[in-house]
Amino acid sequence: MSYELTIEPLGQTIEIEEGQTILDAALRAGIYLPHACGHGLCATCKVQVTDGEIEQGEASTFALMDFEREEQKCLACCATAQGDITIEAEIEEDPDSLSLPVRDYYGTVSRIESLTPTIKGLWIKLEDAEGMQFQAGQYVNLMLPDGIGSRAFSIASVPGADELELNIRVVPGGRGTLYVHEQMKVGERVHLTGPYGRFFVKKSADVPVIFMAGGSGLSSPRSMILDLLAEGFAKPITLIYGQRNLSELYYHDEFLALAEQHPNFKYVPALSHEAEGSDWQGFRGFVHEAAKEYFANDFRGHKAYLCGPPLMIDSCITTLMQGRLFERDIYTEKFISAADAQQVRSPLFKAI
């Protein structure tokens, strides 16, 4: 059974299946509703129901207060329709968004490589001959077996590539990443959904861009940088990428080569815990420290894209703001797990 879901202020009506969440129905129709954790805990996807009945689902009382429920507010990530409904959501138009619908895809694992001691590269050949249409910087949800469920991973490959590449860091005790690192095999058939996310380059701004990444957070920036260079983006592009030591610094040679080939691309690697006395001649310290030194603490006139651990992102935001780059020009990708979402308060920035 299906119902009609009307989304205001768009005035657009779409189909929503019985048991399907409001968020999933909207994303599959190519309509972006703001969201973050996807677990009913962070309140980013809160919307107002103006007509019809809904089932609240597993929305936490922290994210959705009792008085809000009485006012017919709900969390789109877990609320389902009981009939035809109308909601009102905060939807901002973005000239750089392609508004791509989320779809289900199936494919085969074609290659698995150890990129570092803790990061696996996973390549997936999709069964759909047209592949997945996505914007560089977006991510997919990969379904894993044995009751593990789905896990979100950024796409590291460039749009239009023959295969999707995911870079997956093992998380101690994490069932999903442990499965990928220890059990997944070449030839395995996989199910994924996507594309998701609003983390992509604001190309229409036509200003210099800074990418600040740490760990496996390099995935999205790599895709975005390769996409920009392939399109002939002429403004300066700077990648500041941090790892603990040289053994974890992956795609290092690739970025060195790109910097040689493209005069507008600069690559600044930073190692925070490299052994003293090693052959490393680059920056020693954290990403935000490297950025501050490289740009002489002046980030004006840029747009910055941050991807990595929450602590790294918070430090980078502080540094950028101290260097006079503010909310409208800072964008982040920071996945929020069910555990992380327990600690989420209001978003620091509306744009982030």
Side-chain angles (χ1 to χ4, degrees), residues 104-126:
D104 290 279
Y105 293 88
Y106 293 87
T108 302
V109 176
S110 58
R111 182 159 46 115
I112 302 174
E113 288 186 12
S114 293
L115 300 176
T116 79
T118 61
I119 299 173
K120 292 281 190 183
L122 181 68
W123 282 263
I124 300 172
K125 180 69 174 179
L126 298 179

Side-chain angles (χ1 to χ4, degrees), residues 276-291:
E276 293 295 332
S278 74
D279 293 335
W280 178 245
Q281 300 297 313
F283 187 88
R284 290 176 180 265
F286 294 101
V287 171
H288 65 283
E289 296 169 333

Side-chain angles (χ1 to χ4, degrees), residues 231-259:
E231 288 187 358
F233 187 79
K235 298 293 183 180
I237 304 168
T238 305
L239 169 63
I240 303 173
Y241 175 52
Q243 277 283 18
R244 291 180 58 83
N245 53 59
L246 190 57
S247 68
E248 294 286 347
L249 196 66
Y250 73 109
Y251 284 129
H252 179 60
D253 291 339
E254 176 184 76
F255 287 119
L256 288 175
L258 288 172

Side-chain angles (χ1 to χ4, degrees), residues 249-329:
L249 196 66
Y250 73 109
Y251 284 129
H252 179 60
D253 291 339
E254 176 184 76
F255 287 119
L256 288 175
L258 288 172
E260 287 286 334
Q261 297 165 17
H262 301 274
N264 64 320
F265 174 62
K266 305 301 179 186
Y267 169 51
V268 183
L271 301 180
S272 60
H273 292 77
E274 177 66 3
E276 293 295 332
S278 74
D279 293 335
W280 178 245
Q281 300 297 313
F283 187 88
R284 290 176 180 265
F286 294 101
V287 171
H288 65 283
E289 296 169 333
K292 184 175 182 178
E293 178 179 289
Y294 185 81
F295 285 95
N297 199 33
D298 186 354
F299 303 100
R300 289 174 294 177
H302 292 78
K303 283 192 178 293
Y305 301 87
L306 284 50
C307 189
L311 183 60
M312 185 217 86
I313 287 180
D314 292 342
S315 298
C316 288
I317 289 172
T318 299
T319 297
L320 290 168
M321 294 186 72
Q322 289 173 345
R324 303 182 67 181
L325 194 71
F326 301 109
E327 173 184 350
R328 67 182 180 275
D329 295 315

Side-chain angles (χ1 to χ4, degrees), residues 28-63:
R28 288 179 180 273
I31 299 172
Y32 178 81
L33 297 182
H35 61 281
C37 77
H39 302 287
L41 297 167
C42 76
T44 305
C45 65
K46 191 178 296 179
V47 298
Q48 176 72 55
V49 179
T50 59
D51 187 50
E53 298 296 324
I54 55 100
E55 170 59 46
Q56 293 283 3
E58 298 182 359
S60 80
T61 54
F62 169 80

